[in-house]
Amino acid sequence: MNKSSAFFDRSCEVAGRFLQSAVVVDDQAHLGDVRPSALVTPVRSSANRASRLSNQWRDPRSPTEDLDAKSLIDAFAALGVVCAVLQADLRPKKEDDQGAPETVKDLGLRTCKATRRSDIVILDWNIRPEGAVGQNAKSLIKEILERDADAVPSNRLDDHSRRLRLIAIYTGDLGLDSIANELAEFLGTLGFDVERDGLYRIKADSVTISVYGKPKPKIEAAGDERRVAEDELPKRLQRDFAGMTAGLLSNAALASLSAVRTNTHRILSRFSPRIDPPYVAHRAMLQPPEEAEEHPVPLIAAEIEEVLADDERIQELVGLAAIGEWLNDIVLEQKTLRDSLELGPDEFRAELLLLLRLGLKETAAKAKTGKWKKILKGLDDYDRKTAHVLTRALAPEEGEAATLDMEFAQLTSSRSRYDKPAPVLKLGTVVAIEEDSHISYKLCVQPVCDSFRIDGTRPFPFLKLVEKQDGEGGPVDFVLFDQGRYVKLKCIMKVHRMVFFNMDAEVQSKSVKASRHGDSWHFAMSGGDTTLRWVADLKTNHAHRAVDQFANEIKRVGLTESEWLRRMARE
């Protein structure tokens, strides 16, 4: 990512609207610049006064360990970010001090609680006392990341579910590059896939650690360009955060969350205690009454959707101007474009922007390059051979195109699971039946109203899903991620291919809930040992579309009619 481009500047502005909180952990934090100065003998002579003042500067060869917390807090405040400073105090208590000394475990607990909702974490590298420099900082990093992982179910812990974390090391030590190397090795021992972004930044899955130096007098030392004053650090970290999130859809997601944060109290005002009486009355009149418990979530989601719809800046982040800036920012491989499209990078950018503005038909009519014109026609005709061509040209690695297209397809069609509640079998639930080495997939089409308030056992209807292998022709309805791979599925809309499974409802919830078996969720079938492994839940509209297509298939009317007339009716 070009850190001086128009697109990155746009991303920084989005990140600035999002960031709200930072937490600092340092054992030398002070409210004001109270760095110690050299002791001098008082003198009366005005001739020696200038000499006395000049001797108050600290030795330029010694590292700066103190943290001017007030300057840091004020600089974050100027960006609209609230900064909390935790002063670490692991030193043994004196005899006349009250209470036991703070331990590393105590500090870790305080830090994890404070950083659970923070956007940025800043740690000193040398939190004394410690056996080796950086030992306590690494312990805090490990505990923060482990707490983040504990908040996600083990079967969902992947690159997409990990907490986005920006951690900064802000230290007075001289060897900033050595600290970065040590941290990279440390994250590798924690099981992260580590990637270096320059000398002083480490990327590990969704975690980024940046190393900065506290201010020092001008001396020759490696990494001087990374030494920043407290009032400069917040802007540098804002840019680091933007480097983690700079992208078309990621910017839109970040701006959406910012809009929700900004309008939180307006949303709350719509659900004030004033409307509790009519809600209770609403429940009293429903049959069954507990159905009212399902209503707040869609009501609140609708208010959030209205907030996002009212923010025009979100659409601008994925508009043509933003895409143009993004295209100028990404690296396009000359050879790949020549081989696949017969276009150079600059020509491809121009042609693609024209395509995004005019659409396939009009752009194909104006295209001059033969191969490009053929590709556009193939895209317009749903030619499978050209399905990944644009993604392949834009992706960082050519071989990722098919995977990225399927990842986006899954995002648009299936619901994400963000927490631990057990899945409930209902319309849109996709399950897998594992028999020997064969896996077959089914789509539940039980109406939602028939999936709850069940006493005992109830049959559930399922449509058959056929897996399409790579290179196999024919249409695909859904793309799901199952057991480490993407699965392309086609729904069979035939009544005689349907199956019914008897399922036992849970007594308390009166619904068919899954239970955890290892790293997977399973629905137990009635009267047997066979289980249905939960795979995904389709988004509501996609599930309804499948049912609508099935209904259209089974409501066909068979007629005795003239073949000539039947053919005439199709023209």
Side-chain angles (χ1 to χ4, degrees), residues 344-370:
D346 293 338
E347 188 180 4
F348 173 63
R349 287 188 183 96
E351 292 286 359
L352 182 58
L353 287 173
L354 183 67
L355 170 62
L356 296 174
R357 183 165 58 88
L358 299 180
L360 282 167
K361 292 185 182 297
E362 192 171 343
T363 307
K366 296 182 178 182
K368 297 178 182 179
T369 305

Side-chain angles (χ1 to χ4, degrees), residues 447-469:
V448 174
C449 56
D450 292 333
S451 302
F452 297 90
R453 300 177 294 279
I454 302 173
D455 292 317
T457 303
R458 176 170 294 178
F460 274 68
F462 292 83
L463 297 179
K464 182 177 181 179
L465 297 174
V466 175
E467 181 179 355
K468 294 289 185 177
Q469 304 297 330

Side-chain angles (χ1 to χ4, degrees), residues 441-515:
Y441 295 93
K442 312 288 183 186
L443 172 65
C444 178
V445 290
Q446 183 85 295
V448 174
C449 56
D450 292 333
S451 302
F452 297 90
R453 300 177 294 279
I454 302 173
D455 292 317
T457 303
R458 176 170 294 178
F460 274 68
F462 292 83
L463 297 179
K464 182 177 181 179
L465 297 174
V466 175
E467 181 179 355
K468 294 289 185 177
Q469 304 297 330
D470 291 340
E472 186 178 355
V476 173
D477 292 318
F478 313 118
V479 175
L480 301 176
F481 192 76
D482 183 40
Q483 296 186 335
R485 66 188 183 96
Y486 284 101
V487 182
K488 295 178 288 186
L489 300 170
K490 170 62 182 173
C491 193
I492 305 301
M493 304 293 182
K494 299 292 184 182
V495 176
H496 65 272
R497 302 291 294 275
M498 288 183 67
V499 293
F500 284 81
F501 297 128
N502 289 326
M503 311 298 296
D504 291 331
E506 186 184 67
V507 176
Q508 185 175 0
S509 66
K510 294 187 177 182
S511 62
V512 179
K513 277 191 174 182
S515 58

